[in-house]
């Protein structure tokens, strides 16, 4: 069947559009191309931010979703749709609220963190300010009658208008009271509303303006603009008493209170103090003074401009008297590892290190360890990340699909893993139990089942796991060791190299490789290999002089260090070798690369590079990725979506109104599905991800089907 030219071009254009609109990182990650993983602290939008006991919220410059940051495990979640403008994100408990323009106005939306559910709170509104405390949300709403304050109770879903002056704005709410500024008498005064008695009261009605109230319990802190310089005062509702907290020759602005502690901007610097007595202490200099700092317990969240005038978030610890960047996963990187879609590495922090997981397809990264962890040597597969935690003397795993962390080993179960001797392959983790005589164990991370491989005479020099095989190097005597291969299905081990000088062995597709010292007239380290099917050992790379050391493997490829072409024998460089083809790879680093800690995993290389002075993680794909580690379906595949789990659109309609790329962006590669001949016996479906893998098949389907018989499904 001939392809219709116009639809053929449209099919190609669809794929190109999705590449650039849905996943620029994936589009640019071509074979042999270096990708710099730059996950520096995000530039914050001027929409505002907030902090509570468990979470912080903010918006990244140029994005329309809200970042929900878990303060306990450093993880980030994007909430809110990707198309509407948002401002004033606030958080308390398990609720996030913000002002949203998606319905044409500026309405209040709420997100329940525990239920992962978003809901509309106000409709047809013109909201400029809002706050949340416990189960209470307050906002100001401008109408033809002026601006008034509204209260929403999350438990009852009741909305109540609590002012009628038409001059009320800038509300703040606590458990018992609402406070706001009100211009009903010609200048701004502070008013309160008792949530229990439903009574309004004028709280502070001094000369000049009193603005920007912030309430906690029955104490209000506010900005007093009655004098030459703006000062900060507090008002005790129970005692009807005002205290002037500052009285000096500088302007104060945007105060915020938690319990009895407050923060304020003073002439561009950040200060904190107590709302019950005068005086303040400096916390940080030269902060961004257009955004209100937010305080919760002992932490203050504030914004600061960097040398490039970009706004960054910082967290000040009042007890420790120090500031740290928030939302930053770009501490000095080390110990990188990779596998197809993912890269992991250690990010060095001021107080603790973190494991960073980078998604190559999405171009996104996140910390997956808790702030009090002491992780090292992370490994990654398409399903899991594994690391050793020094503070717990245990191995931990992170399920990438579920976003959950689990402790794999436990001292209470007589499990004491070696901090370096463990390997990850798919869902299986090979590790050495050092509690007593060393034992080789394989733990299936899906089921939690442990399988003992063997008990060793002494600590192995190296271990490796790939598919159905395990290999290890066992020291036999001084400078002599043997290489062993274990077949997991057959439960049988074979000594494949005996009493040679060898340090480690690695597994690949049907082979084992190692570097062996050859003591001849020109002694050197050479690469040897063992063919698993044939049961034969042979020299793989052996030269008359110099050394080939530290081989690493992934599938059919081997990365090793060589010094044959170096001016001196102590200087090594990396080589990439295809064991299956018996040839060196054409892929190489950039001439300016300064490579350290290079490793190979899955279809890619990953390394630390100092070409830009500061160290960064770089990666390079050297082959096409595999869908899964063993080419089979995951052991626990997600169920097929029910009809209610997606929305279906006609492709002509999306192309006509220009929203096709927007839907692709929202759904992603796997959740955007083309439906050909929908609702008929000829119905065929193909996800955007599959379309890239089978472009000819997609083009054939696209050009052989009338456009009015093509739908797209956007799965949740």
């Amino acid at each position: 069947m001939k392809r219709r030219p116009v639809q053929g071009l449209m099919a190609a254009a669809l794929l190109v559009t999705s590449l650039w609109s849905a996943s620029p990182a994936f589009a640019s990650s071509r074979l042999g191309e270096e990708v710099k993983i730059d996950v520096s602290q995000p530039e914050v939008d001027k929409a505002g931010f907030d902090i509570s006991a468990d979470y912080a919220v903010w918006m990244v410059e140029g994005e329309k979703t809200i970042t929900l940051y878990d303060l306990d495990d450093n993880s980030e979640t994007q909430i809110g749709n990707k198309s509407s403008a948002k401002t004033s994100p606030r958080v308390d408990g398990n609720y996030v609220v913000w002002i949203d323009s998606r319905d044409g106005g500026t309405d209040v939306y709420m997100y329940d963190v525990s239920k992962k559910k978003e809901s509309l709170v106000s409709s047809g509104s013109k909201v400029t300010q809002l706050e949340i405390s416990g189960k209470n949300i307050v906002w100001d709403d401008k109408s033809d009658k002026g601006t008034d304050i509204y209260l929403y109770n999350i438990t009852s879903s009741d909305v109540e208008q609590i002012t009628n002056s038409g001059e009320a704005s800038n509300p703040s709410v606590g458990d018992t009271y609402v406070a706001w500024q009100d211009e009903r008498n010609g200048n701004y005064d502070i008013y309160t509303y008792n949530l229990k008695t439903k009574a309004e009261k004028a709280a502070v009605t001094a000369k000049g303006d009193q603005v920007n109230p912030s309430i906690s319990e029955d104490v209000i802190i506010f900005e007093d603009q009655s004098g030459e310089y703006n000062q900060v005062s507090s008002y005790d509702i129970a005692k009807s008493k005002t205290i002037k907290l500052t009285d000096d020759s500088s302007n104060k602005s945007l105060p915020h209170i938690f319990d009895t502690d407050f923060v304020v901007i003073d002439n561009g610097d950040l200060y904190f103090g107590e709302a019950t007595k005068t005086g303040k202490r400096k916390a940080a200099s030269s902060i961004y003074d257009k955004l209100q700092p937010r305080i919760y317990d002992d932490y203050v969240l504030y914004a600061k401009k960097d040398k490039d005038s970009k706004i960054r978030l910082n967290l000040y610890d009042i007890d420790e008297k120090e500031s740290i960047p928030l939302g930053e996963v770009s501490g000095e990187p080390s110990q990188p590892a990779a596998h197809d879609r993912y890269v992991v590495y250690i990010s060095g922090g001021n107080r603790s290190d973190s494991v960073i997981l980078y998604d190559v397809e999405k171009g996104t990264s996140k910390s997956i360890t808790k702030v009090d962890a002491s992780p090292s040597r992370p490994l990654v597969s398409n399903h899991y990340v594994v690391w050793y935690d020094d503070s717990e003397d245990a191995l931990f795993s992170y399920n990438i699909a579920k976003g959950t962390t689990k402790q794999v080993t436990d001292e209470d179960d007589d499990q004491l893993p070696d901090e370096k001797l463990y390997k990850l392959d798919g869902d299986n983790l090979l590790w050495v139990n050092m509690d007593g005589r060393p034992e080789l164990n394989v733990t299936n991370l899906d089921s939690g089942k442990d399988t003992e491989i063997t008990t060793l005479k002494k600590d192995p020099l190296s271990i490796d796991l790939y598919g159905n095989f395990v290999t290890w190097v066992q020291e036999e005597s001084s400078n002599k060791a043997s290489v062993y291969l274990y077949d997991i299905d057959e439960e049988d081990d074979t000594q494949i190299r005996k009493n040679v000088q060898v340090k480690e062995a690695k597994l690949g597709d049907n082979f084992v490789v190692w570097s062996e010292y050859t003591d001849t007239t020109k002694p050197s380290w050479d690469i040897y290999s063992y063919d698993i099917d044939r049961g034969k050992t042979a020299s793989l790379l052996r030269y008359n002089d110099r050394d080939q050391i530290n081989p690493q493997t992934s599938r059919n490829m081997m990365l090793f260090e060589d010094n044959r072409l170096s001016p001196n024998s102590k200087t090594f460089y990396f080589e990439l070798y295809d064991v299956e083809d018996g040839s060196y790879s054409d892929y190489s680093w950039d001439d300016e690369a300064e490579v350290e800690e290079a490793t190979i995993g899955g279809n890619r290389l990953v390394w630390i590079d100092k070409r830009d002075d500061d160290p960064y993680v770089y990666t390079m794909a050297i082959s096409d990725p595999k869908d899964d580690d063993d080419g089979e379906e995951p052991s626990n595949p997600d169920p097929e979506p029910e009809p209610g789990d997606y929305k279906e659109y006609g492709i002509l309609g999306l192309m006509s109104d220009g929203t096709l790329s927007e839907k692709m962006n929202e759904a992603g590669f796997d959740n955007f599905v083309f439906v050909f001949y929908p609702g008929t016996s000829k119905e065929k479906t193909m996800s955007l991800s599959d379309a890239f893998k089978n472009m000819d098949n997609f083009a054939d389907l696209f050009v052989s089907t009338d456009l009015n018989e093509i739908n797209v499904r956007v799965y949740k």
Side-chain angles (χ1 to χ4, degrees):
M1 180 182 293
K2 286 187 178 181
R3 295 180 179 177
R4 283 170 279 179
V6 173
Q7 282 190 235
L9 289 172
M10 289 173 64
L14 274 173
L15 295 187
V16 171
T17 299
S18 62
L19 274 174
W20 287 104
S21 63
S23 185
F26 182 74
S28 63
S29 184
R30 295 184 291 269
L31 296 184
E33 180 181 59
E34 295 180 347
V35 176
K36 179 181 178 181
I37 300 176
D38 185 358
V39 290
S40 56
Q41 185 187 8
E43 180 183 359
V44 178
D45 188 88
K46 297 175 182 177
F49 47 82
D50 198 16
I51 186 171
S52 66
D54 301 312
Y55 302 101
V57 290
W58 65 81
M59 293 184 66
V60 174
E61 177 67 26
E63 295 185 4
K64 293 187 176 181
T65 57
I66 293 170
T67 298
L68 174 66
Y69 183 86
D70 191 312
L71 294 165
D72 183 41
D73 62 17
N74 293 333
S75 63
E76 294 182 6
T77 304
Q78 304 305 314
I79 61 175
N81 70 9
K82 298 180 180 179
S83 57
S84 63
K86 302 171 186 65
T87 188
S88 303
R90 297 288 185 255
V91 61
D92 194 46
N94 281 321
Y95 299 100
V96 182
V97 294
W98 66 91
I99 301 171
D100 198 306
S101 68
R102 74 182 69 177
D103 300 311
T106 49
D107 297 315
V108 177
Y109 273 77
M110 179 177 70
Y111 180 83
D112 187 325
V113 179
S114 60
K115 296 179 180 179
K116 298 182 179 179
K117 182 180 179 181
E118 180 184 298
S119 58
L120 175 65
V121 174
S122 75
S123 180
S125 310
K126 294 182 179 180
V127 181
T128 60
Q129 297 288 339
L130 84 165
E131 290 289 349
I132 180 174
S133 178
K135 299 293 184 179
N136 298 312
I137 305 171
V138 292
W139 65 89
D140 56 14
D141 192 346
K142 186 176 182 180
S143 66
D144 293 338
K145 297 180 181 180
T147 303
D148 282 296
I149 308 300
Y150 288 77
L151 170 71
Y152 177 85
N153 184 279
I154 296 173
T155 303
S156 66
S157 299
D158 291 337
V159 178
E160 178 185 0
Q161 182 178 340
I162 63 173
T163 71
N164 292 291
S165 69
E167 300 291 344
S169 61
N170 215 353
S172 180
V173 63
D175 293 334
T176 308
Y177 295 96
V178 179
W180 67 92
Q181 64 188 44
D182 201 305
E183 204 181 10
R184 68 182 69 178
N185 295 319
N187 62 291
Y188 283 111
D189 298 313
I190 305 297
Y191 280 72
T192 63
Y193 178 84
N194 189 310
L195 298 174
K196 295 179 180 178
T197 65
K198 310 294 184 181
E200 179 189 284
K201 181 182 178 181
V204 184
T205 56
K207 66 175 184 177
D209 291 329
Q210 291 78 46
V211 297
N212 295 326
S214 176
I215 190 170
S216 180
E217 301 297 338
D218 58 357
V219 177
I220 305 169
I221 191 168
F222 60 93
E223 192 177 321
D224 186 349
Q225 299 182 350
S226 61
E228 182 180 358
Y229 296 98
N230 298 342
Q231 304 296 338
V232 178
S233 296
S234 67
Y235 178 79
D236 188 314
I237 298 174
K239 298 177 181 179
S240 299
K241 180 181 179 182
T242 302
I243 301 175
K244 198 166 189 177
L245 301 176
T246 65
D247 189 13
D248 51 28
S249 56
S250 62
N251 284 317
K252 322 297 183 297
S253 62
L254 302 177
H256 187 246
I257 189 173
F258 175 81
D259 198 7
T260 59
D261 294 325
F262 74 91
V263 290
V264 67
I265 300 174
D266 185 344
N267 200 27
D269 297 330
L270 177 66
Y271 282 80
F272 65 95
E274 293 183 32
T276 56
K277 60 183 181 181
T278 60
K280 58 186 181 0
R281 287 166 286 175
K282 190 174 182 179
S285 302
S286 303
I287 75 167
Y288 183 67
D289 60 6
K290 300 296 189 295
L291 291 175
Q292 182 188 44
R294 308 287 290 188
I295 182 173
Y296 191 95
D297 202 8
D298 295 325
Y299 295 99
V300 181
L301 188 61
Y302 67 96
K304 190 168 185 173
K305 280 191 175 182
D306 64 11
K307 60 182 180 181
D308 298 318
S309 295
K310 294 182 178 180
I311 301 172
R312 313 291 188 183
L313 276 184
N314 291 267
L315 189 67
Y316 180 80
D317 187 324
I318 294 175
D319 284 343
E320 299 292 333
K321 297 180 175 58
E322 67 173 348
S323 288
I324 59 172
L326 189 66
E328 180 177 23
V329 293
S330 59
E332 184 160 319
S334 64
Q335 305 174 48
H339 190 95
D340 290 353
R341 176 174 175 171
Y342 300 105
V343 172
V344 293
Y345 62 92
I346 294 292
S347 175
N350 292 334
R351 288 187 284 179
S352 63
D353 295 342
S354 304
V355 175
I356 305 303
L357 173 65
Y358 180 81
D359 187 324
V360 177
E361 284 190 15
K362 294 182 178 179
T364 58
S365 61
K366 61 180 176 179
S367 171
I368 59 174
T369 49
K370 295 185 177 181
V371 292
D372 57 351
S374 300
S376 65
R377 197 175 173 268
L379 303 175
V380 64
S381 70
N382 278 348
H383 306 147
Y384 287 94
V385 181
V386 170
W387 64 90
Y388 180 84
D389 192 304
D390 186 63
S391 63
E392 299 288 345
D393 292 327
L395 291 167
F396 283 75
S397 69
Y398 176 83
N399 186 308
I400 296 174
K402 297 179 179 179
T404 55
T405 300
K406 182 179 179 181
Q407 184 170 330
V408 180
T409 63
D410 195 327
E411 279 186 295
D412 293 340
D413 295 330
D414 298 324
Q415 295 175 328
L416 186 64
D418 187 276
E419 63 185 24
K420 294 183 179 178
L421 293 173
Y422 54 93
K423 295 292 292 186
L424 177 64
D425 183 55
D427 303 330
N428 293 317
L429 174 66
L430 174 68
W431 58 283
V432 181
N433 189 359
M434 307 299 289
D435 188 66
R437 291 183 63 185
E439 297 175 352
L440 281 180
N441 293 278
V442 172
T443 298
N444 183 279
L445 299 176
D446 272 348
S447 66
K449 180 183 177 182
D450 290 323
T451 302
E452 183 181 335
I453 300 298
T454 187
T455 301
L456 305 176
K457 295 180 293 183
K458 58 175 68 175
D459 299 352
L461 299 179
S462 76
I463 63 171
D464 200 14
L465 169 69
Y466 184 64
N468 196 48
F469 293 96
V470 173
T471 188
W472 67 90
V473 175
Q474 182 74 72
E475 189 177 28
E476 306 289 0
S477 61
S478 179
N479 289 330
K480 297 294 181 182
S482 298
V483 182
Y484 291 84
L485 180 68
Y486 183 87
D487 187 317
I488 295 176
D489 284 346
E490 299 295 331
E491 299 182 358
D492 180 57
D493 65 81
T494 304
Q495 188 181 53
I496 61 176
R497 195 65 164 169
K498 183 178 180 181
N499 288 329
V500 294
Q501 193 166 342
V502 57
K503 296 179 181 178
E504 58 183 350
K506 300 294 182 182
L507 278 160
D509 286 340
N510 194 47
F511 64 83
V512 185
V513 295
W514 62 90
S515 179
E516 182 177 314
Y517 187 72
T518 307
D519 191 4
T520 60
T521 54
K522 290 186 176 181
S524 63
W525 289 89
D526 303 301
I527 304 293
Y528 284 76
S529 67
Y530 177 83
D531 188 308
I532 295 176
D533 283 346
R534 297 175 59 196
K536 299 292 185 181
T537 298
S539 59
L540 182 63
L541 295 174
R542 186 174 182 182
Y543 301 98
N544 291 330
D545 57 1
R546 296 293 178 93
D547 302 310
Q548 295 76 51
I549 60 173
N550 300 329
Q552 303 177 53
T553 54
S554 182
R555 297 169 184 159
N556 62 305
M557 302 300 292
M558 176 178 67
L559 180 71
F560 67 95
E561 295 177 57
D562 202 337
N563 65 357
R564 285 176 298 132
L565 304 179
S566 298
N568 64 76
S569 61
K570 294 183 179 180
T571 302
F572 285 84
Y573 54 90
F574 289 95
E575 290 277 19
L576 187 61
Y577 187 81
D578 189 323
V579 176
E580 184 178 288
D581 291 344
S583 62
Y584 285 91
S585 172
D586 291 331
Y587 299 132
S588 61
W589 329 105
D590 187 274
D591 291 339
E592 296 180 354
E594 297 182 19
V595 179
E596 297 178 0
E597 301 184 59
T599 62
I600 186 172
N603 73 322
R604 63 183 53 254
L605 301 173
V606 64
W607 67 97
I608 305 296
D609 202 310
K610 292 185 176 180
R611 73 182 74 177
D612 304 304
D613 295 328
D614 293 327
Y616 284 93
V617 179
Y618 277 73
T619 186
M620 176 197 298
I622 55 175
S623 65
D624 292 325
K626 290 185 177 180
D627 289 337
D628 292 290
D629 300 327
D630 54 6
E632 300 176 358
E633 288 297 313
S635 56
N636 291 307
D638 292 331
E640 287 295 319
E642 297 294 328
D645 290 335
Y646 63 79
K647 290 186 177 180
E648 190 158 327
Y649 307 87
I651 197 169
L652 274 176
L654 296 181
M655 294 170 70
S656 299
D657 63 20
T659 59
L660 181 61
S661 62
E662 178 183 315
K663 299 298 182 187
M664 288 179 176
N665 265 323
E666 291 179 0
F669 279 80
D670 294 324
N671 293 333
F672 188 91
V673 177
F674 295 96
V675 186
F676 302 93
Y677 305 108
T680 71
S681 59
K682 296 193 297 179
E683 179 176 305
K684 291 184 178 181
T685 60
M686 180 177 287
S687 70
L688 187 58
S689 178
D690 289 337
F692 280 107
K693 297 173 185 175
N694 304 282
M695 294 182 70
D696 287 340
N697 189 19
F698 171 74
D700 287 338
L701 281 170
F702 198 87
V703 301
S704 63
T705 310
D706 290 332
L707 289 177
N708 58 11
E709 293 184 293
I710 303 175
N711 288 355
V712 294
R713 289 174 185 163
V714 179
Y715 286 89
K716 295 181 181 178

